[in-house]
Amino acid sequence: MRILGIETSCDETAAAVVENGTKVLSNVIASSVDLHAQTGGVVPEVAAREHIRQISPVIDKALSDANVDWSDIDAIAVTHAPGLLTSLLVGVNTAQSLAYIHKKPLIPIHHIAAHIYANFLERDEKEIDFPVLILTISGGHNELVLMKGHYDFEVIGETLDDAAGEAFDKIARLLDLGFPGGPIISERAEKGSPDSFNFPRPMLDKENKYNFSFSGLKSAVKREVDKLTENNTPEGANGHSRLRGGMINNISASFQSAVIDVLTEKLVMAADEFDIKAVHLAGGVSANQLLRKTVREKLPKEIPLLWPVKNVYCTDNAAMVAAAAYFCPQKNRGWEKVEVHSQLPLSS
Ligand code: KG4
Ligand code: ZN
């Protein structure tokens, strides 16, 4: 079964063709990240206009890269929630029109389910044994999910404020490093010392054992940066760019280490409490090398740990949307029944 996936929930316009949920025949991504780098974050109107400009050429390229035409496509899958409404609308309206014109079933996909199914891409599905514990970490989401079978999700923890990726993006903006923050901060962190600053590791109380909160950490980093720049303002310096490079590396390393400690500790605690066969990392932050290494070291050796086989499957893409659709039990939704939602629980 070949599914055309479409993803436009944030700032990536993406389309892909995937066979039987695992074999990626094409994976096309047009990112408007350069536009958002100028503002240090995604501006919804700008993202939506870019989606409108890119969506048709991206879908055409996904079909031609896969060497297929419409008669080879069995269904269309599209991200319908959660995300920026104006961005989601472009993908969903396009998918609805194409489903109607080409008489294909349309399968609406939850964005977090798509990130979770990114771990099936280019793997033998028999490699994946349930129940699986998944840490989904991206710019908009931060959840601990117990997956007992296909589409059998139980969210056991989530963020009470900022997601891990959002924290990376905000600290990068504070340090004038650009957008998205994750890859830049982790690069700078490699040259710095994680012990330079003792930033808080918010673990929360018993009731919030598996929930996360990164806004206090963000404030602690801001207070430190303000203190460092207070008495150190060279003429003409702008924002926090007046910090010396070495100091930026040390702040990046100390901040990253605090985020990784919290994510790892909660993940390992949950892996110990629940009877699981494997642990998966998913979402943009799962591209982080130090996080992968730390989790592998802290997790008992006998528990398999997977992350997406390529970094392009960690961040937003449409191959994961097509994979999630293949394993979705409800494949026959009519085009007129699909709605967009800025927020929607994973288990709905
Ligand atoms: O999954 P994704 O593409 O979009 C959302 O669904 O939000 O994730 C994007 C997020 C951004 O916040 C970005 O800073 C973060 O993933 N990210 C990383 C890394 N690469 C991307 N964070 C930490 N380390 C990385 N290497
Ligand atoms: Zn995402």
Side-chain angles (χ1 to χ4, degrees), residues 12 111 115 138-141 165-166 168-169 180-183 186 283-285 287-288 314-316:
E12 267 92 18
H111 186 67
H115 274 300
S138 64
H141 315 278
E166 192 178 356
F168 272 95
D169 295 337
S186 62
V285 185
N288 189 286
C314 294
T315 44
D316 289 349

Side-chain angles (χ1 to χ4, degrees), residues 265-279:
E265 187 154 326
K266 296 205 174 221
L267 182 58
V268 171
M269 207 159 54
D272 183 50
E273 177 171 339
F274 297 94
D275 190 17
I276 48 143
K277 296 264 173 53
V279 168

Side-chain angles (χ1 to χ4, degrees), residues 7-298:
E7 156 65 41
T8 63
S9 67
C10 191
D11 57 335
E12 267 92 18
T13 316
V17 179
V18 178
E19 198 169 84
N20 297 337
T22 57
K23 190 172 173 195
V24 181
L25 302 185
S26 65
N27 187 35
V28 181
I29 304 169
S31 174
S32 54
V33 70
D34 290 348
L35 289 173
H36 306 300
Q38 295 161 20
T39 43
V42 178
V43 178
E45 287 77 6
V46 175
R49 267 201 297 275
E50 277 305 294
H51 285 311
I52 292 169
R53 226 167 54 78
Q54 301 278 8
I55 188 96
S56 292
V58 164
I59 291 172
D60 287 347
K61 185 159 172 23
L63 294 173
S64 70
D65 283 3
N67 215 1
V68 297
D69 59 32
W70 282 105
S71 64
D72 303 307
I73 298 294
D74 299 293
I76 300 172
V78 64
T79 308
H80 75 124
L84 300 171
L85 272 186
T86 45
S87 288
L88 289 165
L89 271 172
V90 180
V92 167
N93 286 345
T94 307
Q96 285 176 312
S97 308
L98 291 170
Y100 178 76
I101 295 165
H102 297 288
K103 299 193 172 40
K104 307 286 178 190
L106 181 59
I107 309 166
I109 295 296
H110 192 287
H111 186 67
I112 305 304
H115 274 300
I116 288 172
Y117 277 100
N119 273 309
F120 283 73
L121 295 170
E122 295 184 33
R123 283 202 167 103
D124 182 346
E125 68 171 287
K126 291 193 206 89
E127 247 185 85
I128 293 168
D129 227 359
F130 298 113
V132 180
L133 175 68
I134 306 142
L135 176 67
T136 63
I137 26 175
S138 64
H141 315 278
N142 201 136
E143 290 173 347
L144 265 172
V145 180
L146 205 53
M147 184 183 186
K148 295 175 198 139
H150 287 298
Y151 277 82
D152 186 354
F153 302 121
E154 185 191 340
V155 177
I156 59 165
E158 61 194 342
T159 182
L160 304 177
D161 39 61
D162 295 348
E166 192 178 356
F168 272 95
D169 295 337
K170 285 180 175 169
I171 297 304
R173 190 158 57 201
L174 179 73
L175 298 172
D176 289 332
L177 293 178
F179 176 83
I184 316 168
I185 295 264
S186 62
E187 203 186 306
R188 299 297 295 246
E190 273 176 38
K191 298 178 222 138
S193 158
D195 302 321
S196 313
F197 299 93
N198 187 19
F199 292 134
R201 269 96 173 129
M203 292 299 168
L204 309 178
D205 54 24
K206 252 195 191 156
E207 259 171 52
N208 284 299
K209 189 157 106 173
Y210 295 127
N211 288 335
F212 302 87
S213 166
F214 291 111
S215 71
L217 168 61
K218 181 192 67 194
S219 306
V221 177
K222 185 175 181 322
R223 271 196 304 277
E224 195 61 54
V225 170
D226 286 346
K227 214 159 67 186
L228 288 166
T229 50
E230 208 172 38
N231 305 315
N232 176 26
T233 315
E235 281 299 302
N238 175 29
H240 295 107
S241 54
R242 59 185 112 105
L243 281 175
R244 278 183 300 112
M247 189 64 85
I248 290 179
N249 297 345
N250 286 340
I251 295 169
S252 299
S254 304
F255 159 76
Q256 177 177 256
S257 158
V259 174
I260 290 177
D261 277 358
V262 174
L263 293 173
T264 307
E265 187 154 326
K266 296 205 174 221
L267 182 58
V268 171
M269 207 159 54
D272 183 50
E273 177 171 339
F274 297 94
D275 190 17
I276 48 143
K277 296 264 173 53
V279 168
H280 293 184
L281 305 178
V285 185
S286 69
N288 189 286
Q289 298 292 336
L290 188 63
L291 172 74
R292 292 172 176 180
K293 186 168 165 271
T294 312
V295 173
R296 186 56 284 172
E297 280 167 8
K298 297 273 163 71

